[in-house]
């Protein structure tokens, strides 16, 4: 009954005309962003966050808009993967393995329709999972103390490089850079300035929105100018679009298995949709065996990764809302949005701001059906959007970035800082250094430092407290009070080392598409 009453509250928020309009607009914009090669959900959300503040949206409206963009970009990423063999984002990489061969075989329309239904299935599964699992996890989160949160933040840092980074050392370097930037400003405990260089603009620290827009949006413009600036447009041809009902019926089991795998991968902090897509594809490939023909252009090879990456996208919202730890790069950007709106994600969010949480969940349920309606009958329109000239796209992105950031602070220094982060992001792209860990370091650095300080104060400086041990004065021995910190630290070490070995396996399916 409590679930039904919460859903009723959510739909009362989501079905207001303005919120419904934002959800539909977010789905439309997200699909366009996802379809454009290289942008992806992280960049799309980062580009549009300043627009949300410029419009003066409240917390619920802004979150609904950005998550609709997030879901829409996950849908849209398959379009360029299937038609151009160019992934719209990293999670859509696995879709190219069978999607592009289907397109070359004259079944581009079937591949787009099947992938649209698979995206809908995975996203709907994840939204229902979010609805059922998030309140439960929020209750468990009440057991977290400073040592547990410190271990959880360390887990997020150690795993976020993961599959997205080609080098774990570079991911660790990026995390350290983010943590160093988080130290700039006034110390939370003493009030003394740190690493400001005497600059008054840095006394309040580096605004993470400035860093996000610079590292994602502005850097993406620099990369696009360097690689595609001379190209006027991208030409795409699409044949007849029909509903392959027989293939769809045969793929129900595939979509269900892939959605489960993807959702679990999404819930893990730092794993994200890239891992969900890969595990879903490889898992279904093992289920079908050699006779499945994966890699040659089979429908199930398109449906599995699309269901997996969209389920992972929804699953990544679970740790962000309940623990305040992003499950992916895009949810790290969404976390910055919530913090800017003075909303602290965590176990109390479901009781303090139920209108925000359940309004979001209800809006996502609606957005899934809107996206299905957009991405099947309207797929031809989105294909034509791929031919947008570069001279229209690039100035629009830069204009939104500059106007949005200046409207937030009215400071020219923030604009210069944004450009600086854009240059840094462009250089890091060329060096294959991931930028998402930098954002995570800026977002969570102060929280991680506070958790470490509280743990040391409670234990009188005893480092064993971080592993779940505390000194028992009466017996003069250490007692094991909680298995959570040590378990999370073990997972952090495993999460940092596992991609080094998994990457060798991941390279194999990539070679198939060459």
């Amino acid at each position: 009954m409590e679930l039904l009453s919460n859903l009723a509250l959510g739909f009362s928020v989501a079905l207001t005309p303005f919120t419904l309009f934002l959800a539909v607009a977010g789905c439309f914009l997200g699909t366009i962003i996802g379809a454009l090669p290289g942008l992806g959900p992280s960049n799309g959300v980062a580009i549009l966050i300043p627009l949300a503040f410029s419009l003066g949206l409240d917390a619920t409206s802004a979150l609904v808009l950005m998550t609709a963009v997030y879901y829409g970009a996950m849908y849209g990423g398959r379009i360029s993967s299937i038609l151009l063999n160019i992934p719209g984002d990293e999670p859509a990489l696995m879709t190219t393995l069978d999607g592009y061969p289907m397109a070359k075989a004259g079944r581009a329309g079937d591949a787009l329709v099947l992938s649209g239904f698979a995206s809908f299935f995975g996203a709907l599964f994840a939204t229902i999972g979010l609805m059922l699992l998030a309140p439960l996890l929020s209750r468990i989160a009440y057991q977290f103390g400073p040592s547990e949160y410190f271990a959880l933040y360390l887990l997020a840092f150690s795993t976020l490089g993961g599959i997205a980074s080609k080098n774990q050392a570079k991911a660790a370097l990026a995390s350290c850079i983010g943590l160093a930037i988080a130290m700039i400003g006034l110390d939370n405990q003493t009030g003394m300035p740190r690493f400001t260089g005497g600059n008054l603009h840095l006394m309040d620290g580096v605004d993470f929105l400035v860093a996000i827009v610079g590292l994602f949006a502005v850097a993406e413009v620099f990369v696009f100018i360097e690689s595609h600036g001379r190209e006027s447009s991208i030409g795409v041809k699409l044949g007849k679009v029909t509903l392959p009902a027989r293939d769809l019926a045969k793929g129900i089991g595939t979509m269900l298995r892939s959605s489960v795998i993807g959702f679990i991968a999404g819930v893990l902090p730092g794993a994200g949709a890239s891992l969900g897509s890969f595990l879903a594809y490889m898992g279904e490939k093992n289920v079908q065996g050699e006779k499945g023909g994966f890699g040659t252009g089979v429908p199930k090879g398109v449906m599995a990764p699309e269901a997996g990456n969209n389920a992972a996208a929804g699953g990544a919202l679970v740790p962000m809302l309940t623990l305040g730890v992003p499950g992916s790069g895009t949810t790290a950007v969404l976390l910055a949005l919530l913090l800017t709106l003075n909303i602290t994600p965590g176990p109390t969010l479901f009781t303090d701001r139920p209108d925000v949480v359940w309004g979001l969940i209800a809006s996502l349920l609606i957005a899934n059906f809107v996206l299905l309606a957009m991405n099947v009958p309207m797929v031809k329109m989105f294909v034509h959007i791929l031919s947008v000239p570069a001279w229209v796209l690039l100035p629009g992105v830069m204009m939104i970035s500059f106007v949005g950031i200046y409207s937030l602070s009215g400071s020219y220094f923030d604009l210069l800082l944004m450009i600086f982060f854009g240059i840094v992001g462009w250089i890091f792209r060329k060096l294959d250094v991931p930028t998402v860990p930098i954002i995570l370091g800026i977002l969570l650095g102060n929280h991680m430092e506070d958790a470490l300080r509280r743990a040391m104060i409670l234990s009188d400086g005893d480092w064993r407290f971080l592993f779940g041990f505390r000194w028992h004065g009466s017996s003069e021995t250490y007692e094991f009070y909680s298995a959570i910190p040590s378990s999370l630290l073990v997972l952090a070490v495993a999460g940092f080392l596992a991609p080094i070995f998994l990457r060798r396996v991941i390279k194999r399916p990539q070679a198939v598409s060459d």
Side-chain angles (χ1 to χ4, degrees), residues 25-57:
C27 292
F28 183 79
L29 292 173
T31 303
I32 295 174
I33 290 169
L36 294 171
L39 281 182
S42 298
N43 293 319
V45 174
I47 290 170
L48 293 177
I49 278 182
L51 178 63
F53 285 102
S54 300
L55 296 175
L57 300 180

Side-chain angles (χ1 to χ4, degrees), residues 10-186:
F11 279 108
S12 68
V13 175
L15 291 177
T16 57
F18 184 63
T19 306
L20 195 59
F21 167 76
L22 290 176
V24 174
C27 292
F28 183 79
L29 292 173
T31 303
I32 295 174
I33 290 169
L36 294 171
L39 281 182
S42 298
N43 293 319
V45 174
I47 290 170
L48 293 177
I49 278 182
L51 178 63
F53 285 102
S54 300
L55 296 175
L57 300 180
D58 58 26
T60 304
S61 300
L63 192 58
V64 166
L65 175 62
M66 292 299 111
T67 49
V69 170
Y70 178 27
Y71 267 34
M74 296 304 299
Y75 272 72
R78 78 197 200 285
I79 297 177
S80 58
S81 297
I82 292 172
L83 296 176
L84 306 177
N85 201 28
I86 302 174
D89 51 17
E90 289 173 357
L93 172 66
M94 306 304 293
T95 307
T96 63
L97 303 185
D98 284 273
Y100 188 62
M102 282 187 70
K104 289 197 298 184
R107 300 190 63 191
D110 290 350
L112 287 170
V113 172
L114 289 173
S115 61
F117 274 99
S119 298
F120 168 76
F121 194 98
L124 184 62
F125 181 91
T127 306
I128 295 173
L130 170 66
M131 181 175 61
L132 298 176
L133 184 61
L136 175 63
L137 189 59
S138 67
R139 297 189 187 99
I140 298 175
Y142 278 111
Q143 302 178 17
F144 276 50
S147 57
E148 286 83 359
Y149 270 109
F150 176 78
L152 184 65
Y153 291 139
L154 191 62
L155 173 63
F157 282 112
S158 65
T159 57
L160 196 59
I163 305 301
S165 175
K166 298 178 181 179
N167 189 308
Q168 287 297 87
K170 291 181 179 179
L173 172 64
S175 297
C176 292
I177 292 173
L179 289 171
I181 295 174
M183 297 298 103
I184 297 175
L186 298 178

Side-chain angles (χ1 to χ4, degrees), residues 20 74 77 81 107 123 134 163 165 191 197 218 241 273 306 322 326 347 361 370 392 433 455 471 491 506 512:
L20 195 59
M74 296 304 299
S81 297
R107 300 190 63 191
I163 305 301
S165 175
V218 179
V241 178
E306 283 301 309
T322 57
I361 292 174
V370 172
V392 174
V433 177
W471 179 255
L491 288 175
I506 294 174
V512 177

Side-chain angles (χ1 to χ4, degrees), residues 94-365:
M94 306 304 293
T95 307
T96 63
L97 303 185
D98 284 273
Y100 188 62
M102 282 187 70
K104 289 197 298 184
R107 300 190 63 191
D110 290 350
L112 287 170
V113 172
L114 289 173
S115 61
F117 274 99
S119 298
F120 168 76
F121 194 98
L124 184 62
F125 181 91
T127 306
I128 295 173
L130 170 66
M131 181 175 61
L132 298 176
L133 184 61
L136 175 63
L137 189 59
S138 67
R139 297 189 187 99
I140 298 175
Y142 278 111
Q143 302 178 17
F144 276 50
S147 57
E148 286 83 359
Y149 270 109
F150 176 78
L152 184 65
Y153 291 139
L154 191 62
L155 173 63
F157 282 112
S158 65
T159 57
L160 196 59
I163 305 301
S165 175
K166 298 178 181 179
N167 189 308
Q168 287 297 87
K170 291 181 179 179
L173 172 64
S175 297
C176 292
I177 292 173
L179 289 171
I181 295 174
M183 297 298 103
I184 297 175
L186 298 178
D187 184 277
N188 291 336
Q189 299 288 332
T190 64
M192 298 295 293
R194 302 185 298 187
F195 311 112
T196 61
N199 192 320
L200 295 177
H201 294 284
L202 294 176
M203 288 296 182
D204 291 332
V206 175
D207 192 324
F208 36 71
L209 282 181
V210 174
I212 286 172
V213 175
L215 288 172
F216 283 90
V218 179
E220 190 65 40
V221 170
F222 290 155
V223 172
F224 191 76
I225 291 174
E226 182 183 32
S227 58
H228 301 290
R230 296 180 181 178
E231 299 179 8
S232 59
S233 62
I234 303 173
V236 180
K237 294 182 179 179
L238 178 66
K240 187 178 181 180
V241 178
T242 58
L243 177 63
R246 186 176 180 182
D247 290 328
L248 186 62
K250 289 182 178 179
I252 292 177
T254 296
M255 292 188 292
L256 180 59
R257 288 187 292 269
S258 300
S259 297
V260 173
I261 294 173
F263 182 75
I264 294 173
V267 171
L268 297 175
S274 297
L275 181 61
S277 175
F278 168 75
L279 292 178
Y281 183 90
M282 297 304 295
E284 191 60 26
K285 183 178 180 181
N286 292 331
V287 170
Q288 300 299 326
E290 295 182 0
K291 295 182 180 180
F294 274 50
T296 61
V298 294
K300 290 183 179 180
V302 175
M303 299 166 77
E306 283 301 309
N309 67 33
N310 281 272
L317 293 172
V318 175
M320 186 203 77
L321 292 174
T322 57
L323 301 174
V325 176
S328 66
T330 310
T331 50
V333 180
L334 291 174
L335 176 62
L337 172 66
L338 286 175
L339 294 176
T340 305
L341 294 168
N342 294 321
I343 295 178
T344 304
T348 60
L349 180 62
F350 284 76
T351 54
D352 295 344
R353 296 297 302 271
D355 56 321
V356 173
V357 176
W358 291 102
L360 169 64
I361 292 174
S363 296
L364 289 178
L365 288 171

